[in-house]
Amino acid sequence: MKPALIVHGGARDIPDEAVEACTSGCQRALAAGWSILSKGGQALDAIEAAIVVLEDDPVFDAGYGSHLNLDGRVECDAIVMDGRTLGAGAVSALQRVKNPIRVARAILENCPHMMLVGEGAERFAIQHGIPLCDPEGLISQAERAAWLKCRKDKHAAAHHRGHEQGTVGAVALDKDGNLFAATSTGGTCCKLPGRVGDSPLIGCGCYADSEAGGVSCTGYGEAIMKIVMAKTAVDLLRQSAICADSPAGASCEASTAKVAAREAVHLLSKRAHGTGGLILLDRHGNPGFAFSTPRMAYGYVALDGNFVTGV
Ligand code: ASP
């Protein structure tokens, strides 16, 4: 099977001056994941490598540089899902972990549960060799300044140089047909402490099923949850796959990925009055993406092996 990889750095109103940083962040995430997949490596390793790059980059709202909650603290959520088993590892409200995706992976591989939150998740991290960090070490200067402005003034997107929402995500397919999807976020700015958005929730911010495809979402979490957007997009892929498999269905598969992405985002605005976006790979590795925000940072590996990035 031909490997495939797609990433995103959040659907939002990315200002012109941040476009370069967002596209180069997506390029570096693709490079990290593709260096594994193109040598025959595993999708799970590739997806973790890609997400770690995005989490470490302060232009994105995940890991270091996440938005601060109302108390001025970083609280991160992440999930990774295995399309073959439908198992997932998810974490929420982490305050002392540099790369939440690593804890999500440890849960997927070593835990009888699918989701751990707060202190319990951090204890699990230590037990599985993932050290805790100083919570202050996750706060970027830009986010501290934005938070201070929000405290003084009314919360406004302008305080965040336009990166009001900037979750990261990736979907990867390896040569053995293993399909994984992952999402990681600092959530929304000035959220109430303890708030959990769509991102770490199976079916909402992320879903993967090898029989249909894998999805990672971004955007207004309280709306995305209402339409269970990631699972909705996978269901759209499944319907199309059935149609393509049937003798009468002939060749609807070529545009399936794009149509499913567009339909899910359309439903988000029509039914839940929310804005956002998503990336996906169908079960063959065809990429699709869509967004209803002014911009979304994305990147994927084209059929010729070139990296395509955009906002
Ligand atoms: N969906 C994320 C949340 O609501 C935010 C985002 O995607 O930017 O936490």
Side-chain angles (χ1 to χ4, degrees):
M1 186 152 236
K2 208 178 151 18
L5 179 65
I6 186 165
V7 301
H8 74 79
R12 58 197 196 272
D13 189 5
I14 301 169
D16 291 344
E17 62 271 23
V19 164
E20 166 68 33
C22 285
T23 49
S24 79
C26 287
Q27 283 270 352
R28 283 184 293 106
L30 287 176
W34 198 242
S35 71
I36 295 168
L37 289 173
S38 60
K39 290 188 201 106
Q42 295 291 301
L44 180 56
D45 293 330
I47 212 166
E48 181 183 11
I51 295 277
V52 164
V53 167
L54 297 165
E55 286 179 338
D56 287 346
D57 190 331
V59 81
F60 303 117
D61 174 29
Y64 172 62
S66 286
H67 292 324
L68 304 187
N69 70 10
L70 207 56
D71 288 347
R73 297 204 178 109
V74 164
E75 261 186 1
C76 290
D77 306 330
I79 180 169
V80 58
M81 182 162 179
D82 180 345
R84 197 156 268 189
T85 62
L86 303 182
V91 287
S92 189
L94 293 185
Q95 295 195 3
R96 296 182 293 166
V97 175
K98 186 170 164 282
N99 293 111
I101 194 66
R102 292 202 200 282
V103 190
R105 177 178 180 165
I107 291 171
L108 174 70
E109 293 183 311
N110 303 305
C111 186
H113 311 305
M114 293 228 285
M115 185 175 205
L116 297 176
V117 306
E119 207 200 310
E122 292 180 352
R123 206 181 308 157
F124 183 89
I126 301 169
Q127 285 162 357
H128 290 81
I130 300 164
L132 299 189
C133 66
D134 179 357
E136 289 289 315
L138 298 175
I139 301 177
S140 70
Q141 270 187 4
E143 287 301 329
R144 171 81 75 201
W147 179 78
L148 284 170
K149 277 192 210 154
C150 287
R151 295 268 308 185
K152 256 199 262 140
D153 197 350
K154 219 168 101 246
H155 170 67
H159 296 158
H160 303 274
R161 298 179 299 122
H163 64 125
E164 162 92 5
Q165 296 167 325
T167 294
V168 307
V171 186
L173 178 72
D174 64 29
K175 69 164 193 350
D176 300 320
N178 297 303
L179 177 77
F180 284 83
T183 305
S184 180
T185 189
T188 47
C189 174
C190 292
K191 64 187 179 182
L192 289 178
R195 177 260 187 189
V196 180
D198 63 298
S199 306
L201 302 182
I202 189 169
C204 294
C206 180
Y207 201 76
D209 182 344
S210 300
E211 291 182 1
V215 177
S216 172
C217 300
T218 167
Y220 184 53
E222 280 71 9
I224 292 173
M225 285 187 265
K226 288 181 179 171
I227 63 155
V228 197
M229 188 156 83
K231 176 66 160 62
T232 296
V234 168
D235 286 346
L236 288 164
L237 287 172
R238 183 188 300 280
Q239 282 161 21
S240 310
I242 291 165
C243 134
D245 279 347
S246 80
S251 65
C252 57
E253 193 134 312
S255 62
T256 291
K258 291 181 184 102
V259 172
R262 239 184 285 137
E263 280 297 304
V265 170
H266 178 61
L267 187 67
L268 179 67
S269 63
K270 204 177 81 183
R271 190 66 189 90
H273 310 293
T275 56
L278 59 79
I279 54 166
L280 57 81
L281 292 178
D282 72 13
R283 64 195 171 133
H284 302 296
N286 294 308
F289 63 89
F291 50 97
S292 54
T293 43
R295 284 171 164 161
M296 179 175 83
Y298 64 88
Y300 61 90
V301 183
L303 276 178
D304 59 6
N306 282 326
F307 293 176
V308 179
T309 55
V311 289

